[in-house]
Amino acid sequence: MSTDLVATFDHIAQVLDRDRSWVMQKALKQYIEHEGIDILRDAQGLDELDRGEGVDLDDVLEKARMIVDAAERRQRRAG
């Protein structure tokens, strides 16, 4: 870990009257809850695609078009 980063942790710890490990734990927890969880979700999605569990985008778009078309037809008949 760089000396600048350690110094920043130490400064924050001093301001908060906590020890460095407390500040580092808080920082790591926040990282995991925000960026880390996104990385894990992306990895899970890639694993699912590798196993062939994905859905073709063209199929999804076609189904969405069919739903919109049906709704528009119902609206015209009711209109």
Side-chain angles (χ1 to χ4, degrees), residues 2 10 27-28 32 48 68 75-76:
S2 73
D10 286 340
L28 289 169
I32 289 169
E48 290 170 359
V68 170
Q75 187 177 22
R76 282 192 297 267

Side-chain angles (χ1 to χ4, degrees), residues 1-70:
M1 190 176 314
S2 73
T3 56
D4 289 344
L5 190 54
V6 172
T8 301
F9 278 123
D10 286 340
H11 189 213
I12 293 168
Q14 181 183 14
V15 168
L16 295 175
D17 195 28
R18 298 283 190 157
D19 61 11
R20 181 193 311 154
S21 65
W22 184 88
V23 175
M24 292 174 80
Q25 285 179 341
K26 295 290 272 187
L28 289 169
K29 183 177 180 186
Q30 185 174 3
Y31 171 81
I32 289 169
E33 288 175 350
H34 294 95
E35 290 184 47
I37 199 74
D38 290 339
I39 291 168
L40 294 175
R41 283 186 191 131
D42 290 348
Q44 180 182 3
L46 291 172
D47 289 344
E48 290 170 359
L49 289 173
D50 288 343
R51 291 191 304 268
E53 298 173 5
V55 178
D56 188 270
L57 178 60
D58 290 334
D59 293 342
V60 173
L61 292 175
E62 179 60 28
K63 186 173 182 178
R65 273 192 283 281
M66 289 171 52
I67 292 169
V68 170
D69 289 346

